[in-house]
Amino acid sequence: MTEESTLVDVSMLLSFRAENVRSFRGPVELSLLATPLAEEDVPRLVPWREGGRPLRVLPAAGIFGANASGKSNLLRAMHDMRMHVVHSFRSHAPGRGVPRHAFRLGPEQENTPSRFEVDLVLHGIRHQYGFKIDDDRVLDEWAYRYPRGKAALLFRRAGDKVTLGEHNRAKGRAVTEILRPDSLLLSAAAAANHPDLSPLWEWFTDNLLLTEAANRPYRWAYTAGMLREEQHRKQVLALLQAADLGVTDARVRELDPQMAERMIRKAQQILQGREEETETTDQDQAEVEPLVVLSHRGAAGDVEFDPGEESLGTMVWLGLSGPVLDSIANGEVLLVDEIEASLHPALVTQLVKLFQSPESNPKGAQIIFNSHEASLLGDSRGDRVLGRDQVRFTEKDHDGATRLFPLADLSPRTDEAVERRYRAGRYGATPILATEEFTEAALNTAGDHFRSR
């Protein structure tokens, strides 16, 4: 493949940084810039400034580690940043502070600010945006872009003082007039339709979308909405059929057209960032599940199955299909918690390869996921799904804080058996289990049971 054929003139995430967020007490960084260890043809060459050499950006990254080591918290921290940007101006109640998830296992951290920052290419121009918050207000906020390689200020905020860039200063001053101490300037700028800042805000509405078990019912409804549109229906069906689930067709059941429309619209608003997420109730799930009915191949023809009759893996794949196809179609960043949950390893492999391949992912969509599926690591260069610079590990320190570190830091060889060494605990990031303690717990439980009889 030639260098020119891998050029992607779209928006891609370069890195995410945070501090004092969830289980991350200190600074944490996830970089998506390729290293010399990158597999051939995987990195995208992304133009980022006028006349500059393109950046080499990874389309996928996987996080591996023991249970409760902080894998999910990295994705949630990224999603937290998105929620602050999208909702802080219009949804946070004035005077009630800033909702955040600081590190809780060290009492001093609850009084320490939390920090978020992203580095990204937005429509061919590199941007840097971040902010620092505590429980009461926004302490700092900044945005820069690099049209010619040097930083050009969009705005810098320090407490109540805001320094504006050279462009659209009148519109910037209008934004400062409606700004609250507990809302982000970027969020307020979107409400004021600031021409330089609205595209950055819109990037957050479309990216860093977290798919996890809690929002699976909304993803079913989201996929149902795509099935209703003829231009997307064929894609969804193709992905369902490619998974070898025996699915031949899918339809959206119109039990109550108004209810179906309401749930699909709500799902779209939540997953696309136009409405704050809420807890999924039993009623919500009961309303969402019947919307999609799948047909399976039978001896005498196709047979429809209600959702309650489907396997969990089939329903998980159904819920992933809509967000995955939408992300690939629009070149967006998708976050997937426990990508292997109820899915066969071969299916997980194909899902990741959809993002890895420039042919199936021409717009540079990115997937960031966590997993226990070690087969993605591979034992030779030929069977790796993820390159050596696409793998991250999480471990808990003695005080309960998460440490994120890349496999590349351990200098793995080109022919290294990464999967085997990971399973053997050579990289860390695996649970330390004592068989004796498991046995003792079982024997104690059995003894208590017999004594109570």
Side-chain angles (χ1 to χ4, degrees):
M1 183 175 293
T2 64
E3 180 172 298
E4 288 76 13
S5 65
T6 62
L7 282 169
V8 179
D9 189 14
V10 293
S11 303
M12 294 188 76
L13 179 66
L14 306 180
S15 67
F16 167 79
R17 293 177 288 276
E19 185 174 356
N20 190 25
V21 180
R22 295 192 179 263
S23 61
F24 297 95
R25 182 187 60 187
V28 59
E29 178 175 8
L30 175 67
S31 173
L32 292 164
L33 291 172
T35 74
L37 298 180
E39 298 294 326
E40 187 180 0
D41 296 339
V42 168
R44 304 301 195 269
L45 299 179
V46 182
W48 66 280
R49 67 179 178 91
E50 294 179 10
R53 294 185 61 184
L55 297 168
R56 300 171 70 241
V57 187
L58 299 171
I63 302 120
F64 298 80
N67 288 323
S69 63
K71 300 186 305 297
S72 296
N73 280 338
L74 178 65
L75 303 185
R76 289 170 182 157
M78 299 174 78
H79 187 66
D80 287 346
M81 183 179 191
R82 171 180 176 268
M83 296 299 284
H84 282 298
V85 172
V86 174
H87 298 294
S88 71
F89 179 73
R90 63 181 181 180
S91 299
H92 292 177
R96 295 190 180 180
V98 180
R100 66 175 179 136
H101 299 278
F103 181 75
R104 296 180 60 192
L105 298 180
E108 70 281 0
Q109 303 306 124
E110 294 186 9
N111 299 317
T112 302
S114 298
R115 189 178 188 273
F116 300 85
E117 186 172 35
V118 292
D119 198 1
L120 60 106
V121 174
L122 182 61
H123 305 310
I125 302 296
R126 190 170 185 168
H127 284 66
Q128 187 178 39
Y129 170 73
F131 55 86
K132 187 185 295 185
I133 56 175
D134 62 15
D135 293 333
D136 300 314
R137 61 179 296 147
V138 178
L139 302 173
D140 293 290
E141 188 180 3
W142 57 93
Y144 296 88
R145 61 182 175 184
Y146 299 76
R148 295 177 179 82
K150 294 184 179 180
L153 178 69
L154 289 171
F155 72 86
R156 179 83 204 202
R157 172 186 186 183
D160 295 327
K161 181 181 179 181
V162 177
T163 303
L164 300 172
E166 295 181 358
H167 299 285
N168 294 296
R169 295 178 66 87
K171 179 65 77 170
R173 285 191 291 269
V175 172
T176 62
E177 291 178 1
I178 62 173
L179 187 62
R180 301 193 311 268
D182 57 358
S183 72
L184 294 172
L185 189 147
L186 182 59
S187 188
N193 197 27
H194 191 292
D196 294 330
L197 298 177
S198 291
L200 184 57
W201 180 87
E202 289 168 0
W203 183 88
F204 279 96
T205 68
D206 297 330
N207 290 272
L208 307 184
L209 304 174
L210 177 62
T211 68
E212 56 182 349
N215 63 20
R216 191 177 297 150
Y218 290 121
R219 289 187 277 117
W220 292 332
Y222 191 85
T223 303
M226 295 185 70
L227 283 167
R228 286 176 135 193
E229 303 172 5
E230 194 56 38
Q231 67 269 32
H232 298 308
R233 176 179 173 79
K234 292 181 179 179
Q235 295 173 302
V236 174
L237 280 177
L239 201 57
L240 290 172
Q241 292 167 353
D244 194 28
L245 303 170
V247 174
T248 57
D249 200 0
R251 69 176 177 89
V252 180
R253 179 187 289 171
E254 298 289 1
L255 297 178
D256 180 336
Q258 290 184 343
M259 181 180 71
E261 184 66 32
R262 178 177 68 83
M263 290 306 300
I264 290 173
R265 186 169 61 250
K266 183 176 182 179
Q268 291 171 338
Q269 289 174 335
I270 288 175
L271 294 179
Q272 293 178 345
R274 296 195 300 269
E275 178 180 313
E276 284 201 82
E277 294 187 54
T278 57
E279 291 294 325
T280 303
T281 66
D282 291 340
Q283 181 181 0
D284 287 336
Q285 184 154 331
E287 290 177 345
V288 174
E289 279 194 51
L291 287 180
V292 178
V293 180
L294 301 177
S295 296
H296 292 260
R297 187 183 306 107
D302 292 350
V303 179
E304 285 191 343
F305 281 65
D306 285 332
E309 300 177 284
E310 299 286 0
S311 71
L312 180 56
T314 297
M315 297 306 292
V316 168
W317 188 249
L318 175 69
L320 278 173
S321 297
V324 164
L325 289 172
D326 203 35
S327 296
I328 289 176
N330 297 298
E332 297 167 352
V333 183
L334 182 67
L335 311 178
V336 182
D337 187 31
E338 295 187 358
I339 194 172
E340 79 283 2
S342 302
L343 296 178
H344 191 278
L347 195 51
V348 176
T349 294
Q350 291 304 316
L351 175 57
V352 176
K353 285 184 175 180
L354 281 178
F355 287 83
Q356 293 278 66
S357 169
E359 183 178 355
S360 57
N361 180 19
K363 293 188 177 180
Q366 294 165 287
I367 185 170
I368 302 170
F369 63 90
N370 62 48
S371 178
H372 295 289
E373 187 49 66
S375 64
L376 295 170
L377 303 174
D379 274 334
S380 67
R381 188 171 188 176
D383 69 353
R384 286 183 192 138
V385 180
L386 292 172
R388 291 168 294 165
D389 64 344
Q390 294 180 280
V391 177
R392 307 293 185 276
F393 296 123
T394 53
E395 279 190 335
K396 280 286 186 71
D397 291 337
H398 67 278
D399 60 357
T402 296
R403 182 172 69 95
L404 178 77
F405 58 100
L407 172 62
D409 281 359
L410 305 177
S411 302
R413 302 183 309 274
T414 301
D415 59 347
E416 185 153 332
V418 177
E419 177 185 353
R420 187 163 65 248
R421 291 172 67 86
Y422 171 67
R423 290 184 186 277
R426 299 293 294 273
Y427 306 127
T430 53
I432 302 174
L433 306 177
T435 303
E436 297 81 5
E437 293 180 6
F438 277 87
T439 303
E440 183 180 352
L443 290 175
N444 288 340
T445 300
D448 292 341
H449 173 72
F450 284 114
R451 281 193 294 272
S452 66
R453 295 184 65 180

